[in-house]
Amino acid sequence: MGYAETYQRALTDPEGFWAEQAREVPWFEAPATVLDQDDNGAWRWFRGGRMNTCHVALDQHVAAGRGETTALIYDSPATGQVQRYSYQELLDWTAQVAGGLQALGVARGDRVVIYMPMIPETVVAMLACARLGAVHSVVFGGFAAPELAMRIDDATPKVVVSASCGIEFDRIIPYKPLLDEAIRLAEHKPDRCVVVQRPQETAELNAPRDIDWQAFVADAEPVDCTPVDATDPLYILYTSGTTGKPKGVVRDNGGHAVALNYSMSAIYGVDAGDVYWAASDVGWVVGHSYIVYGPLFKGCTTILYEGKPVRTPDAGAFWRVIADHRVKSFFVAPTAFRAIKKEDPDCALKAQYDISCLEYQFVAGERLDPPTYHWLQEHLNGVPIIDHWWQTETGWSICANMAGVELVETKAGSPTLPVPGYDLRILDEAGGELGPGEEGAIVVKAPLPPGSFPTIWDDHARYDESYWSQYPGFYLTGDGGYRDEDGYVYVMGRIDDVINVAGHRLSTGQIEEVVADHPAVAECAVIGINDADKGQVPMGLVLLKDGVNIEADALQAELVQMVRDGVGAIANFKRAIVVTRLPKTRSGKILRQVMRKMVDGEAYTVPSTIDDVAIIDELEATLVETGVMSG
Ligand code: COA
Ligand code: AMP
C-alpha cells in the first residue's frame, strides 16, 4: 500500500488501522476496546489491554531467541569508550536495577526522577521504571537547579536517580551539587537518591538519603515485569509552554508501544537487527522515543552517543560513528549540521569514512532551513534527506516522508505530508479552514493517534485549556504554517511564546521570570530572534525601575548569569537591552511578535489595540542605537 492509500485507511477506519498495528506488539491481555474516551473526555487507545513496556523493549526479543543481538552501543568520545550490550545483557541489568528500585519502595504508579547524562545507566533506569510500572520523569542535564526543583515538586518522586557529573566537550559538569540545590529548593523531598559515581568526578553522598549506584545494583535481586494497563502512565516529560511553569506531558504505555513500533518501520525504514541512531539527548522527547523506546521495541541496535557533532574530536564525529557502527537510519537536529557546516564547509572530513551503510538521513526538532537542506543534499550522495515535524506532546511524527511506506517527492522547507493518524487542518483565528498557501494555526482534528499525550500530569484542566479550548475538537499544535496546492505542510514557527534554541525548546516566559527578578528591573520581555547557528536565541528587553542607575553592560552580565543559574546555559541568553517603554495593547499584553519581527527585519503590522503607537518608533531607535538592528 502506498502513502495515499495508507493515510486514507487510517483516516476512514482509525480503529481498524490501529487494531492491526496493535497486533504487532506483545500483550499479556489484548485490549478490549481500541478507542474510547475517559472520564475527562480525553481519547484513549487500547483500554483493557495489559502489557509492560520493558517487556516490549527487551523480554520479547530475548524470548524470541534474539538475546545475543546488540541492543545498545554506548559510544562516548567524551570518555573515550565504546561499549556494547546485547538484549540479554540489557535485560539482566534492567531486571536487577528494577529489583533495587523495588527494594527502595518504588511500585507501580510511583514516580522516579532521572537527572542524568548520556550513559547506559540512564537507559537502564528508564527501562527499570517501566518494568515496575513506575513512572519516570527524565530531566535534561542542561537544566539548572530551579528547573529541576520545579519538576521534582510537580512529579513528587519517591526516588531520584542521578550521576556525579556530565561531560560537555572537555568540561566536567558536576550534577550532584545541582541535585542537592534542587532538593533544597523543592517542597517535595524524595526518599532516596541513587547516584552513579563516574570516574571523572566523585560526588559527596549524604547517607542515608544518597546511595551509590554500584552498591544499590550489587545488593538487588532481579524482578520480573509488572503487568500494567495500556492506559497507565509510562512517563512524564516536562516541556516548555507559554508560562514559566513547564507542562508535564504524560505518555501512556499501550498507545506509545503501538505507535513507536509502527513508526520504526513505516517512517524510519528499519527492522529488527538494523542499526538506528538518534543523536539527541535522553532528556528530550527525541531521546525517549528514538534513542530508547522505538528502536528497542523494534529489536534494532540503538546508539547512545555521549559527544557532540564537532570538537569530539572534530567535525567528522558523526561520519565516524555512522561508519563504525554501520548506521542505516540517522536522526539529528538541523542545528547539529549547521555546527558541522561551519567548521567543515565542504564536508571534507566525510571522505575519511565509509558511510555507504547510511540509507536515510532524518532531521527534526526545528525547521530544516533550505541552506542546510541543500548542503546535506550536496554532500550525502543521494541519501534521502527527510525532514519530519513533531513535538513532545505527540511523541512521534505529525508529518514525515515515510521511508517504509513510500518516499514521495521532497520540497525544501516542508516536512512533506501528514502521517497516517493525523487529520491536519490549517485554521484562521475564527476557526475557518484556510486554503492552499494561506498561513494559519496548524491543528489536528481529534482523536490524536496512539502515542500522543492523554493529559498533563496532575493538571487536566491545563490540557483542555492549552490545547483544546481555542478550537474545540481540534488539537492546537502551537505551530503556524500552511499547506501548498499538493497538500505539503510548511511549518513556519511557533505562534505562542515558545522558542527553539539549538533544537532545545524553551519558553520566553520561563526566562522572563528570571530576568524580572533582578532588583533593577521593573518590567521585561524576552523574545526569540533569528540566529544563523542556533535557529533562534532569546533576547531581553528590560525597563529599569525609576531612579536606578546601572551601566547597561554590567546589567547585561548580571542578567546573563541569572539566566544561566535559573534556567541553564542551554538558554543561550546573551543579550539584554534597556528600553524606555515596552509596546503593549491597551489591555496590557506585551506585543512580543511585533518586536520579534522588527528585530528580524520582517514585515509587521502594529495592531490597532496598541496603547501608544509612538513607542514603536522609540523602540526602533533604541534597537538601532544598541546595534541590535541596522539603521
Ligand atoms: N549539560 C550541561 N550543560 C549543557 C548541556 C548538558 N547536557 N547541553 C548543553 N549545555 C551547555 C553547553 O555546554 C553550553 O554552555 P556554555 O554557554 O557554557 O558554553 C550551553 O549549554 C549552550 O549549549 P548549546 O546551545 O547546545 O551549544 P553547544 O555548542 O554546546 O552545542 C549543538 C551545539 C549543536 C551540539 C547542540 O546544541 C545540539 O546537539 N543540539 C541538538 C539538540 C537536540 O538534539 N534536540 C532534540 C531535537 S532533535
Ligand atoms: P519539542 O517538543 O521539544 O520536540 O519541540 C517541538 C517544536 O519544535 C515544534 O512545535 C516546532 O515548533 C519545532 N519543530 C520540531 N520539528 C520541526 C520541524 N521538522 N520543522 C519545523 N519545526 C519543528
Side-chain angles (χ1 to χ4, degrees), residues 239 285 363-368 387-393 479 491 494 500 505:
T239 192
V285 68
V363 288
E366 57 175 333
R367 183 163 182 264
L368 173 60
D387 180 14
H388 59 326
W389 165 58
W390 54 297
Q391 317 179 299
T392 306
E393 288 85 343
D479 281 305
V491 182
R494 299 288 305 195
N500 197 312
R505 174 167 161 180

mmCIF file with all atom_site columns, all heavy atoms in Angstrom, residues 239 285 363-368 387-393 479 491 494 500 505, ligand 2:
data_model
loop_
_atom_site.group_PDB
_atom_site.id
_atom_site.type_symbol
_atom_site.label_atom_id
_atom_site.label_alt_id
_atom_site.label_comp_id
_atom_site.label_asym_id
_atom_site.label_entity_id
_atom_site.label_seq_id
_atom_site.pdbx_PDB_ins_code
_atom_site.Cartn_x
_atom_site.Cartn_y
_atom_site.Cartn_z
_atom_site.occupancy
_atom_site.B_iso_or_equiv
_atom_site.pdbx_formal_charge
_atom_site.auth_seq_id
_atom_site.auth_comp_id
_atom_site.auth_asym_id
_atom_site.auth_atom_id
_atom_site.pdbx_PDB_model_num
ATOM   1   N N   . THR A 1 239 ? 7.824  19.917 29.375 1.00 0.00 ? 239 THR A N   1
ATOM   2   C CA  . THR A 1 239 ? 8.195  20.717 28.208 1.00 0.00 ? 239 THR A CA  1
ATOM   3   C C   . THR A 1 239 ? 7.708  22.134 28.404 1.00 0.00 ? 239 THR A C   1
ATOM   4   O O   . THR A 1 239 ? 6.822  22.392 29.216 1.00 0.00 ? 239 THR A O   1
ATOM   5   C CB  . THR A 1 239 ? 7.635  20.096 26.917 1.00 0.00 ? 239 THR A CB  1
ATOM   6   O OG1 . THR A 1 239 ? 8.245  20.749 25.798 1.00 0.00 ? 239 THR A OG1 1
ATOM   7   C CG2 . THR A 1 239 ? 6.125  20.236 26.794 1.00 0.00 ? 239 THR A CG2 1
ATOM   8   N N   . VAL A 1 285 ? 12.284 14.583 24.114 1.00 0.00 ? 285 VAL A N   1
ATOM   9   C CA  . VAL A 1 285 ? 11.364 13.549 23.622 1.00 0.00 ? 285 VAL A CA  1
ATOM   10  C C   . VAL A 1 285 ? 12.023 12.686 22.552 1.00 0.00 ? 285 VAL A C   1
ATOM   11  O O   . VAL A 1 285 ? 11.778 11.479 22.462 1.00 0.00 ? 285 VAL A O   1
ATOM   12  C CB  . VAL A 1 285 ? 10.031 14.161 23.136 1.00 0.00 ? 285 VAL A CB  1
ATOM   13  C CG1 . VAL A 1 285 ? 10.230 14.997 21.875 1.00 0.00 ? 285 VAL A CG1 1
ATOM   14  C CG2 . VAL A 1 285 ? 8.983  13.090 22.926 1.00 0.00 ? 285 VAL A CG2 1
ATOM   15  N N   . VAL A 1 363 ? 15.860 14.548 9.905  1.00 0.00 ? 363 VAL A N   1
ATOM   16  C CA  . VAL A 1 363 ? 16.095 15.716 10.758 1.00 0.00 ? 363 VAL A CA  1
ATOM   17  C C   . VAL A 1 363 ? 14.769 16.207 11.335 1.00 0.00 ? 363 VAL A C   1
ATOM   18  O O   . VAL A 1 363 ? 13.721 16.100 10.693 1.00 0.00 ? 363 VAL A O   1
ATOM   19  C CB  . VAL A 1 363 ? 16.769 16.893 10.002 1.00 0.00 ? 363 VAL A CB  1
ATOM   20  C CG1 . VAL A 1 363 ? 18.207 16.601 9.689  1.00 0.00 ? 363 VAL A CG1 1
ATOM   21  C CG2 . VAL A 1 363 ? 15.996 17.254 8.767  1.00 0.00 ? 363 VAL A CG2 1
ATOM   22  N N   . ALA A 1 364 ? 14.835 16.734 12.554 1.00 0.00 ? 364 ALA A N   1
ATOM   23  C CA  . ALA A 1 364 ? 13.653 17.332 13.206 1.00 0.00 ? 364 ALA A CA  1
ATOM   24  C C   . ALA A 1 364 ? 14.108 18.104 14.417 1.00 0.00 ? 364 ALA A C   1
ATOM   25  O O   . ALA A 1 364 ? 15.296 18.118 14.747 1.00 0.00 ? 364 ALA A O   1
ATOM   26  C CB  . ALA A 1 364 ? 12.659 16.261 13.618 1.00 0.00 ? 364 ALA A CB  1
ATOM   27  N N   . GLY A 1 365 ? 13.160 18.717 15.074 1.00 0.00 ? 365 GLY A N   1
ATOM   28  C CA  . GLY A 1 365 ? 13.460 19.463 16.298 1.00 0.00 ? 365 GLY A CA  1
ATOM   29  C C   . GLY A 1 365 ? 13.337 20.956 16.056 1.00 0.00 ? 365 GLY A C   1
ATOM   30  O O   . GLY A 1 365 ? 13.140 21.741 16.970 1.00 0.00 ? 365 GLY A O   1
ATOM   31  N N   . GLU A 1 366 ? 13.457 21.352 14.820 1.00 0.00 ? 366 GLU A N   1
ATOM   32  C CA  . GLU A 1 366 ? 13.325 22.750 14.402 1.00 0.00 ? 366 GLU A CA  1
ATOM   33  C C   . GLU A 1 366 ? 13.172 22.711 12.885 1.00 0.00 ? 366 GLU A C   1
ATOM   34  O O   . GLU A 1 366 ? 13.354 21.655 12.265 1.00 0.00 ? 366 GLU A O   1
ATOM   35  C CB  . GLU A 1 366 ? 14.583 23.537 14.780 1.00 0.00 ? 366 GLU A CB  1
ATOM   36  C CG  . GLU A 1 366 ? 15.806 22.894 14.173 1.00 0.00 ? 366 GLU A CG  1
ATOM   37  C CD  . GLU A 1 366 ? 17.102 23.644 14.386 1.00 0.00 ? 366 GLU A CD  1
ATOM   38  O OE1 . GLU A 1 366 ? 17.057 24.864 14.551 1.00 0.00 ? 366 GLU A OE1 1
ATOM   39  O OE2 . GLU A 1 366 ? 18.152 22.998 14.344 1.00 0.00 ? 366 GLU A OE2 1
ATOM   40  N N   . ARG A 1 367 ? 12.845 23.847 12.306 1.00 0.00 ? 367 ARG A N   1
ATOM   41  C CA  . ARG A 1 367 ? 12.668 23.884 10.859 1.00 0.00 ? 367 ARG A CA  1
ATOM   42  C C   . ARG A 1 367 ? 13.992 23.570 10.169 1.00 0.00 ? 367 ARG A C   1
ATOM   43  O O   . ARG A 1 367 ? 15.046 24.067 10.575 1.00 0.00 ? 367 ARG A O   1
ATOM   44  C CB  . ARG A 1 367 ? 12.174 25.281 10.467 1.00 0.00 ? 367 ARG A CB  1
ATOM   45  C CG  . ARG A 1 367 ? 11.897 25.432 9.016  1.00 0.00 ? 367 ARG A CG  1
ATOM   46  C CD  . ARG A 1 367 ? 11.028 26.656 8.745  1.00 0.00 ? 367 ARG A CD  1
ATOM   47  N NE  . ARG A 1 367 ? 10.753 26.729 7.326  1.00 0.00 ? 367 ARG A NE  1
ATOM   48  C CZ  . ARG A 1 367 ? 11.457 27.474 6.476  1.00 0.00 ? 367 ARG A CZ  1
ATOM   49  N NH1 . ARG A 1 367 ? 12.451 28.214 6.901  1.00 0.00 ? 367 ARG A NH1 1
ATOM   50  N NH2 . ARG A 1 367 ? 11.157 27.469 5.183  1.00 0.00 ? 367 ARG A NH2 1
ATOM   51  N N   . LEU A 1 368 ? 13.923 22.733 9.146  1.00 0.00 ? 368 LEU A N   1
ATOM   52  C CA  . LEU A 1 368 ? 15.123 22.462 8.341  1.00 0.00 ? 368 LEU A CA  1
ATOM   53  C C   . LEU A 1 368 ? 15.244 23.617 7.348  1.00 0.00 ? 368 LEU A C   1
ATOM   54  O O   . LEU A 1 368 ? 14.488 23.691 6.370  1.00 0.00 ? 368 LEU A O   1
ATOM   55  C CB  . LEU A 1 368 ? 14.997 21.123 7.606  1.00 0.00 ? 368 LEU A CB  1
ATOM   56  C CG  . LEU A 1 368 ? 16.117 20.814 6.608  1.00 0.00 ? 368 LEU A CG  1
ATOM   57  C CD1 . LEU A 1 368 ? 17.479 20.764 7.275  1.00 0.00 ? 368 LEU A CD1 1
ATOM   58  C CD2 . LEU A 1 368 ? 15.861 19.503 5.876  1.00 0.00 ? 368 LEU A CD2 1
ATOM   59  N N   . ASP A 1 387 ? 12.985 15.587 6.359  1.00 0.00 ? 387 ASP A N   1
ATOM   60  C CA  . ASP A 1 387 ? 12.583 16.473 7.441  1.00 0.00 ? 387 ASP A CA  1
ATOM   61  C C   . ASP A 1 387 ? 11.272 15.928 7.987  1.00 0.00 ? 387 ASP A C   1
ATOM   62  O O   . ASP A 1 387 ? 10.391 15.539 7.218  1.00 0.00 ? 387 ASP A O   1
ATOM   63  C CB  . ASP A 1 387 ? 12.379 17.881 6.859  1.00 0.00 ? 387 ASP A CB  1
ATOM   64  C CG  . ASP A 1 387 ? 11.964 18.892 7.910  1.00 0.00 ? 387 ASP A CG  1
ATOM   65  O OD1 . ASP A 1 387 ? 12.079 18.591 9.114  1.00 0.00 ? 387 ASP A OD1 1
ATOM   66  O OD2 . ASP A 1 387 ? 11.519 19.994 7.519  1.00 0.00 ? 387 ASP A OD2 1
ATOM   67  N N   . HIS A 1 388 ? 11.145 15.838 9.269  1.00 0.00 ? 388 HIS A N   1
ATOM   68  C CA  . HIS A 1 388 ? 9.851  15.437 9.838  1.00 0.00 ? 388 HIS A CA  1
ATOM   69  C C   . HIS A 1 388 ? 9.551  16.292 11.054 1.00 0.00 ? 388 HIS A C   1
ATOM   70  O O   . HIS A 1 388 ? 10.450 16.724 11.776 1.00 0.00 ? 388 HIS A O   1
ATOM   71  C CB  . HIS A 1 388 ? 9.747  13.942 10.093 1.00 0.00 ? 388 HIS A CB  1
ATOM   72  C CG  . HIS A 1 388 ? 10.765 13.337 11.024 1.00 0.00 ? 388 HIS A CG  1
ATOM   73  N ND1 . HIS A 1 388 ? 12.068 13.764 11.125 1.00 0.00 ? 388 HIS A ND1 1
ATOM   74  C CD2 . HIS A 1 388 ? 10.656 12.314 11.899 1.00 0.00 ? 388 HIS A CD2 1
ATOM   75  C CE1 . HIS A 1 388 ? 12.716 13.037 12.013 1.00 0.00 ? 388 HIS A CE1 1
ATOM   76  N NE2 . HIS A 1 388 ? 11.872 12.149 12.505 1.00 0.00 ? 388 HIS A NE2 1
ATOM   77  N N   . TRP A 1 389 ? 8.275  16.549 11.253 1.00 0.00 ? 389 TRP A N   1
ATOM   78  C CA  . TRP A 1 389 ? 7.839  17.529 12.258 1.00 0.00 ? 389 TRP A CA  1
ATOM   79  C C   . TRP A 1 389 ? 7.061  16.846 13.360 1.00 0.00 ? 389 TRP A C   1
ATOM   80  O O   . TRP A 1 389 ? 6.135  16.092 13.074 1.00 0.00 ? 389 TRP A O   1
ATOM   81  C CB  . TRP A 1 389 ? 6.967  18.581 11.559 1.00 0.00 ? 389 TRP A CB  1
ATOM   82  C CG  . TRP A 1 389 ? 6.169  19.449 12.475 1.00 0.00 ? 389 TRP A CG  1
ATOM   83  C CD1 . TRP A 1 389 ? 6.654  20.251 13.462 1.00 0.00 ? 389 TRP A CD1 1
ATOM   84  C CD2 . TRP A 1 389 ? 4.753  19.620 12.473 1.00 0.00 ? 389 TRP A CD2 1
ATOM   85  N NE1 . TRP A 1 389 ? 5.624  20.908 14.081 1.00 0.00 ? 389 TRP A NE1 1
ATOM   86  C CE2 . TRP A 1 389 ? 4.454  20.544 13.491 1.00 0.00 ? 389 TRP A CE2 1
ATOM   87  C CE3 . TRP A 1 389 ? 3.708  19.092 11.706 1.00 0.00 ? 389 TRP A CE3 1
ATOM   88  C CZ2 . TRP A 1 389 ? 3.137  20.947 13.768 1.00 0.00 ? 389 TRP A CZ2 1
ATOM   89  C CZ3 . TRP A 1 389 ? 2.411  19.488 11.982 1.00 0.00 ? 389 TRP A CZ3 1
ATOM   90  C CH2 . TRP A 1 389 ? 2.136  20.413 12.991 1.00 0.00 ? 389 TRP A CH2 1
ATOM   91  N N   . TRP A 1 390 ? 7.466  17.101 14.575 1.00 0.00 ? 390 TRP A N   1
ATOM   92  C CA  . TRP A 1 390 ? 6.721  16.560 15.716 1.00 0.00 ? 390 TRP A CA  1
ATOM   93  C C   . TRP A 1 390 ? 7.038  17.299 16.982 1.00 0.00 ? 390 TRP A C   1
ATOM   94  O O   . TRP A 1 390 ? 7.770  18.272 16.961 1.00 0.00 ? 390 TRP A O   1
ATOM   95  C CB  . TRP A 1 390 ? 6.906  15.062 15.841 1.00 0.00 ? 390 TRP A CB  1
ATOM   96  C CG  . TRP A 1 390 ? 8.310  14.510 15.896 1.00 0.00 ? 390 TRP A CG  1
ATOM   97  C CD1 . TRP A 1 390 ? 9.254  14.600 14.918 1.00 0.00 ? 390 TRP A CD1 1
ATOM   98  C CD2 . TRP A 1 390 ? 8.904  13.779 16.961 1.00 0.00 ? 390 TRP A CD2 1
ATOM   99  N NE1 . TRP A 1 390 ? 10.391 13.954 15.320 1.00 0.00 ? 390 TRP A NE1 1
ATOM   100 C CE2 . TRP A 1 390 ? 10.204 13.433 16.577 1.00 0.00 ? 390 TRP A CE2 1
ATOM   101 C CE3 . TRP A 1 390 ? 8.457  13.349 18.207 1.00 0.00 ? 390 TRP A CE3 1
ATOM   102 C CZ2 . TRP A 1 390 ? 11.066 12.706 17.383 1.00 0.00 ? 390 TRP A CZ2 1
ATOM   103 C CZ3 . TRP A 1 390 ? 9.300  12.610 19.007 1.00 0.00 ? 390 TRP A CZ3 1
ATOM   104 C CH2 . TRP A 1 390 ? 10.588 12.298 18.598 1.00 0.00 ? 390 TRP A CH2 1
ATOM   105 N N   . GLN A 1 391 ? 6.444  16.851 18.091 1.00 0.00 ? 391 GLN A N   1
ATOM   106 C CA  . GLN A 1 391 ? 6.529  17.599 19.338 1.00 0.00 ? 391 GLN A CA  1
ATOM   107 C C   . GLN A 1 391 ? 6.544  16.640 20.526 1.00 0.00 ? 391 GLN A C   1
ATOM   108 O O   . GLN A 1 391 ? 6.111  15.491 20.389 1.00 0.00 ? 391 GLN A O   1
ATOM   109 C CB  . GLN A 1 391 ? 5.272  18.450 19.519 1.00 0.00 ? 391 GLN A CB  1
ATOM   110 C CG  . GLN A 1 391 ? 4.795  19.154 18.300 1.00 0.00 ? 391 GLN A CG  1
ATOM   111 C CD  . GLN A 1 391 ? 3.543  19.949 18.561 1.00 0.00 ? 391 GLN A CD  1
ATOM   112 O OE1 . GLN A 1 391 ? 2.522  19.400 18.941 1.00 0.00 ? 391 GLN A OE1 1
ATOM   113 N NE2 . GLN A 1 391 ? 3.622  21.249 18.337 1.00 0.00 ? 391 GLN A NE2 1
ATOM   114 N N   . THR A 1 392 ? 6.960  17.150 21.675 1.00 0.00 ? 392 THR A N   1
ATOM   115 C CA  . THR A 1 392 ? 6.913  16.354 22.902 1.00 0.00 ? 392 THR A CA  1
ATOM   116 C C   . THR A 1 392 ? 5.501  15.792 23.101 1.00 0.00 ? 392 THR A C   1
ATOM   117 O O   . THR A 1 392 ? 5.324  14.632 23.495 1.00 0.00 ? 392 THR A O   1
ATOM   118 C CB  . THR A 1 392 ? 7.287  17.243 24.113 1.00 0.00 ? 392 THR A CB  1
ATOM   119 O OG1 . THR A 1 392 ? 8.541  17.862 23.841 1.00 0.00 ? 392 THR A OG1 1
ATOM   120 C CG2 . THR A 1 392 ? 7.368  16.440 25.389 1.00 0.00 ? 392 THR A CG2 1
ATOM   121 N N   . GLU A 1 393 ? 4.509  16.618 22.825 1.00 0.00 ? 393 GLU A N   1
ATOM   122 C CA  . GLU A 1 393 ? 3.131  16.230 23.090 1.00 0.00 ? 393 GLU A CA  1
ATOM   123 C C   . GLU A 1 393 ? 2.706  15.002 22.270 1.00 0.00 ? 393 GLU A C   1
ATOM   124 O O   . GLU A 1 393 ? 1.975  14.139 22.772 1.00 0.00 ? 393 GLU A O   1
ATOM   125 C CB  . GLU A 1 393 ? 2.175  17.396 22.764 1.00 0.00 ? 393 GLU A CB  1
ATOM   126 C CG  . GLU A 1 393 ? 2.225  18.556 23.751 1.00 0.00 ? 393 GLU A CG  1
ATOM   127 C CD  . GLU A 1 393 ? 3.324  19.577 23.443 1.00 0.00 ? 393 GLU A CD  1
ATOM   128 O OE1 . GLU A 1 393 ? 4.261  19.261 22.681 1.00 0.00 ? 393 GLU A OE1 1
ATOM   129 O OE2 . GLU A 1 393 ? 3.239  20.696 23.983 1.00 0.00 ? 393 GLU A OE2 1
ATOM   130 N N   . ASP A 1 479 ? 2.083  25.576 16.529 1.00 0.00 ? 479 ASP A N   1
ATOM   131 C CA  . ASP A 1 479 ? 2.875  25.966 15.364 1.00 0.00 ? 479 ASP A CA  1
ATOM   132 C C   . ASP A 1 479 ? 1.962  26.605 14.323 1.00 0.00 ? 479 ASP A C   1
ATOM   133 O O   . ASP A 1 479 ? 0.786  26.232 14.190 1.00 0.00 ? 479 ASP A O   1
ATOM   134 C CB  . ASP A 1 479 ? 3.563  24.742 14.739 1.00 0.00 ? 479 ASP A CB  1
ATOM   135 C CG  . ASP A 1 479 ? 4.803  24.327 15.510 1.00 0.00 ? 479 ASP A CG  1
ATOM   136 O OD1 . ASP A 1 479 ? 5.689  25.172 15.705 1.00 0.00 ? 479 ASP A OD1 1
ATOM   137 O OD2 . ASP A 1 479 ? 4.872  23.165 15.946 1.00 0.00 ? 479 ASP A OD2 1
ATOM   138 N N   . VAL A 1 491 ? 5.847  24.241 8.081  1.00 0.00 ? 491 VAL A N   1
ATOM   139 C CA  . VAL A 1 491 ? 5.755  24.668 9.483  1.00 0.00 ? 491 VAL A CA  1
ATOM   140 C C   . VAL A 1 491 ? 6.650  25.891 9.624  1.00 0.00 ? 491 VAL A C   1
ATOM   141 O O   . VAL A 1 491 ? 7.875  25.798 9.492  1.00 0.00 ? 491 VAL A O   1
ATOM   142 C CB  . VAL A 1 491 ? 6.230  23.536 10.428 1.00 0.00 ? 491 VAL A CB  1
ATOM   143 C CG1 . VAL A 1 491 ? 6.087  23.952 11.886 1.00 0.00 ? 491 VAL A CG1 1
ATOM   144 C CG2 . VAL A 1 491 ? 5.454  22.254 10.157 1.00 0.00 ? 491 VAL A CG2 1
ATOM   145 N N   . ARG A 1 494 ? 6.523  28.934 15.830 1.00 0.00 ? 494 ARG A N   1
ATOM   146 C CA  . ARG A 1 494 ? 5.530  28.910 16.902 1.00 0.00 ? 494 ARG A CA  1
ATOM   147 C C   . ARG A 1 494 ? 4.657  30.162 16.845 1.00 0.00 ? 494 ARG A C   1
ATOM   148 O O   . ARG A 1 494 ? 5.140  31.252 16.527 1.00 0.00 ? 494 ARG A O   1
ATOM   149 C CB  . ARG A 1 494 ? 6.239  28.859 18.255 1.00 0.00 ? 494 ARG A CB  1
ATOM   150 C CG  . ARG A 1 494 ? 7.102  27.647 18.465 1.00 0.00 ? 494 ARG A CG  1
ATOM   151 C CD  . ARG A 1 494 ? 6.355  26.377 18.685 1.00 0.00 ? 494 ARG A CD  1
ATOM   152 N NE  . ARG A 1 494 ? 5.409  26.434 19.767 1.00 0.00 ? 494 ARG A NE  1
ATOM   153 C CZ  . ARG A 1 494 ? 4.854  25.334 20.314 1.00 0.00 ? 494 ARG A CZ  1
ATOM   154 N NH1 . ARG A 1 494 ? 5.164  24.122 19.889 1.00 0.00 ? 494 ARG A NH1 1
ATOM   155 N NH2 . ARG A 1 494 ? 3.965  25.442 21.277 1.00 0.00 ? 494 ARG A NH2 1
ATOM   156 N N   . ASN A 1 500 ? 12.781 28.054 20.058 1.00 0.00 ? 500 ASN A N   1
ATOM   157 C CA  . ASN A 1 500 ? 13.561 26.856 19.816 1.00 0.00 ? 500 ASN A CA  1
ATOM   158 C C   . ASN A 1 500 ? 15.029 27.248 19.641 1.00 0.00 ? 500 ASN A C   1
ATOM   159 O O   . ASN A 1 500 ? 15.410 27.815 18.632 1.00 0.00 ? 500 ASN A O   1
ATOM   160 C CB  . ASN A 1 500 ? 13.017 26.207 18.537 1.00 0.00 ? 500 ASN A CB  1
ATOM   161 C CG  . ASN A 1 500 ? 13.461 24.784 18.432 1.00 0.00 ? 500 ASN A CG  1
ATOM   162 O OD1 . ASN A 1 500 ? 14.633 24.492 18.609 1.00 0.00 ? 500 ASN A OD1 1
ATOM   163 N ND2 . ASN A 1 500 ? 12.533 23.895 18.154 1.00 0.00 ? 500 ASN A ND2 1
ATOM   164 N N   . ARG A 1 505 ? 13.744 23.238 23.280 1.00 0.00 ? 505 ARG A N   1
ATOM   165 C CA  . ARG A 1 505 ? 12.504 24.004 23.387 1.00 0.00 ? 505 ARG A CA  1
ATOM   166 C C   . ARG A 1 505 ? 12.460 24.759 24.710 1.00 0.00 ? 505 ARG A C   1
ATOM   167 O O   . ARG A 1 505 ? 12.588 24.179 25.773 1.00 0.00 ? 505 ARG A O   1
ATOM   168 C CB  . ARG A 1 505 ? 11.334 23.018 23.284 1.00 0.00 ? 505 ARG A CB  1
ATOM   169 C CG  . ARG A 1 505 ? 9.986  23.637 23.517 1.00 0.00 ? 505 ARG A CG  1
ATOM   170 C CD  . ARG A 1 505 ? 8.927  22.656 23.088 1.00 0.00 ? 505 ARG A CD  1
ATOM   171 N NE  . ARG A 1 505 ? 7.645  22.965 23.650 1.00 0.00 ? 505 ARG A NE  1
ATOM   172 C CZ  . ARG A 1 505 ? 6.556  22.251 23.430 1.00 0.00 ? 505 ARG A CZ  1
ATOM   173 N NH1 . ARG A 1 505 ? 6.600  21.182 22.664 1.00 0.00 ? 505 ARG A NH1 1
ATOM   174 N NH2 . ARG A 1 505 ? 5.408  22.584 23.976 1.00 0.00 ? 505 ARG A NH2 1
HETATM 175 P P1  . AMP B 2 .   ? 9.817  19.600 21.168 1.00 0.00 ? 2   AMP B P1  1
HETATM 176 O O1  . AMP B 2 .   ? 8.522  19.445 21.865 1.00 0.00 ? 2   AMP B O1  1
HETATM 177 O O2  . AMP B 2 .   ? 10.936 19.983 22.074 1.00 0.00 ? 2   AMP B O2  1
HETATM 178 O O3  . AMP B 2 .   ? 10.136 18.423 20.303 1.00 0.00 ? 2   AMP B O3  1
HETATM 179 O O4  . AMP B 2 .   ? 9.647  20.842 20.194 1.00 0.00 ? 2   AMP B O4  1
HETATM 180 C C1  . AMP B 2 .   ? 8.588  20.845 19.283 1.00 0.00 ? 2   AMP B C1  1
HETATM 181 C C2  . AMP B 2 .   ? 8.621  22.084 18.442 1.00 0.00 ? 2   AMP B C2  1
HETATM 182 O O5  . AMP B 2 .   ? 9.827  22.121 17.675 1.00 0.00 ? 2   AMP B O5  1
HETATM 183 C C3  . AMP B 2 .   ? 7.507  22.102 17.432 1.00 0.00 ? 2   AMP B C3  1
HETATM 184 O O6  . AMP B 2 .   ? 6.295  22.578 17.969 1.00 0.00 ? 2   AMP B O6  1
HETATM 185 C C4  . AMP B 2 .   ? 8.079  23.002 16.358 1.00 0.00 ? 2   AMP B C4  1
HETATM 186 O O7  . AMP B 2 .   ? 7.942  24.348 16.702 1.00 0.00 ? 2   AMP B O7  1
HETATM 187 C C5  . AMP B 2 .   ? 9.551  22.644 16.374 1.00 0.00 ? 2   AMP B C5  1
HETATM 188 N N1  . AMP B 2 .   ? 9.834  21.602 15.369 1.00 0.00 ? 2   AMP B N1  1
HETATM 189 C C6  . AMP B 2 .   ? 10.121 20.306 15.589 1.00 0.00 ? 2   AMP B C6  1
HETATM 190 N N2  . AMP B 2 .   ? 10.374 19.661 14.428 1.00 0.00 ? 2   AMP B N2  1
HETATM 191 C C7  . AMP B 2 .   ? 10.222 20.571 13.444 1.00 0.00 ? 2   AMP B C7  1
HETATM 192 C C8  . AMP B 2 .   ? 10.327 20.525 12.016 1.00 0.00 ? 2   AMP B C8  1
HETATM 193 N N3  . AMP B 2 .   ? 10.686 19.412 11.384 1.00 0.00 ? 2   AMP B N3  1
HETATM 194 N N4  . AMP B 2 .   ? 10.061 21.658 11.325 1.00 0.00 ? 2   AMP B N4  1
HETATM 195 C C9  . AMP B 2 .   ? 9.719  22.789 11.952 1.00 0.00 ? 2   AMP B C9  1
HETATM 196 N N5  . AMP B 2 .   ? 9.610  22.910 13.292 1.00 0.00 ? 2   AMP B N5  1
HETATM 197 C C10 . AMP B 2 .   ? 9.868  21.810 14.042 1.00 0.00 ? 2   AMP B C10 1
#
